[in-house]
Amino acid sequence: MINLTPAEIEALLLSLRISGVAVACALPFAIIVATALALGRFPGRFILDAIVHLPLILPPVVMGYLLLIALGTRAPLGAWLYETFDLRFVFSWTGAALASAIVSFPFQVRAIRLSLENVNPGLYQASETLGAGSIDRFFSLTLPLALPGIIAGAITAFAASLGEFGAIITFVSNIPGETRTLPLAIYTAIQTPGGELAAARLAVLSIGLAFAGLLLSELALRRIRKRAAS
């Protein structure tokens, strides 16, 4: 049993909240984009696919820097959001959630897309033959078929969000109780004289959370494969 200090518990709860909000807010967009990539045939599909997967290959620090340029309080868009809706992302946990959502977005799209691409195309053709419209097909066929992928993608994205560091510290800084998540708390402990034990404690906790997330994701993916094979 790991005995955590109040500050470490605060970082843990903040990490869970930021990751949960990031996944929940990104999930509807991930479903729409994954459906378009899996089932749609339209100009620019390759470009959309590349943009979606860009966070996987870009350094997270670059993503944080781009967010800072676009949504900083002195940036046109960031200033407009703040003055119009009192919505501020920099130095705020909402900004950390936004950065986590963008970085983990490809994980959700990939899992949902894989789930949809494994479905027998005859099901979609049969639904069209029976007269089902596009909205009916989406809610009565596409969403149920994509459910295992949605679950797997959400779990994987949640685990990835828990480990996000570069984009968060670049975009919203390292503020205790506001933006200091578990990775940032580990970084702070390492930079503090005598903080080795705290860093090790938080690292073990992070490894445990990541392992649990990967285990749950693998179980969901096995269900996808089993369903595709049946």
Side-chain angles (χ1 to χ4, degrees):
M1 184 68 181
I2 302 176
N3 294 319
L4 301 175
T5 66
E8 292 166 352
I9 294 175
E10 186 179 63
L12 170 62
L13 295 178
L14 184 61
S15 293
L16 295 175
R17 179 170 66 161
I18 287 174
S19 299
V21 171
V23 171
C25 291
L27 185 57
F29 299 101
I31 293 173
I32 294 172
V33 172
T35 303
L37 291 175
L39 307 178
R41 296 293 180 269
F42 52 90
R45 181 169 172 268
F46 170 76
I47 296 176
L48 176 62
D49 194 20
I51 292 174
V52 167
H53 290 90
L54 202 58
L56 288 179
I57 56 175
L58 271 181
V61 173
V62 175
M63 293 303 304
Y65 176 68
L66 294 175
L67 286 172
L68 191 60
I69 291 177
L71 297 173
T73 52
R74 295 183 180 179
L77 178 58
W80 179 76
L81 290 173
Y82 182 63
E83 294 170 1
T84 307
F85 302 105
D86 196 25
L87 187 59
R88 180 173 60 87
F89 288 106
V90 291
F91 309 124
S92 168
W93 74 269
T94 54
L98 176 62
S100 295
I102 292 176
V103 172
S104 63
F105 188 70
F107 295 104
Q108 296 195 71
V109 174
R110 286 171 68 89
I112 299 170
R113 181 179 178 180
L114 174 66
S115 182
L116 290 173
E117 288 178 343
N118 282 329
V119 174
N120 184 351
L123 291 176
Y124 298 108
Q125 296 170 0
S127 65
E128 289 182 5
T129 303
L130 293 174
S134 56
I135 296 178
D136 287 341
R137 288 201 304 273
F138 181 77
F139 285 102
S140 62
L141 185 64
T142 304
L143 274 184
L145 292 173
L147 185 59
I150 293 173
I151 296 173
I155 294 172
T156 306
F158 185 82
S161 295
L162 286 175
E164 177 48 38
F165 175 83
I168 291 179
I169 198 170
T170 305
F171 183 37
V172 297
S173 190
N174 183 6
I175 305 172
E178 185 65 32
T179 64
R180 181 173 293 173
T181 57
L182 279 177
L184 272 64
I186 294 174
Y187 172 78
T188 303
I190 293 173
Q191 300 297 314
T192 304
E196 293 83 2
L197 183 59
R201 196 163 51 232
L202 293 172
V204 170
L205 179 61
S206 297
I207 292 170
L209 290 173
F211 183 77
L214 290 174
L215 182 61
L216 289 173
S217 178
E218 179 60 28
L219 291 175
L221 287 174
R222 286 186 180 182
R223 184 174 178 179
I224 293 174
R225 299 188 186 102
K226 184 177 179 181
R227 189 172 182 172
S230 62

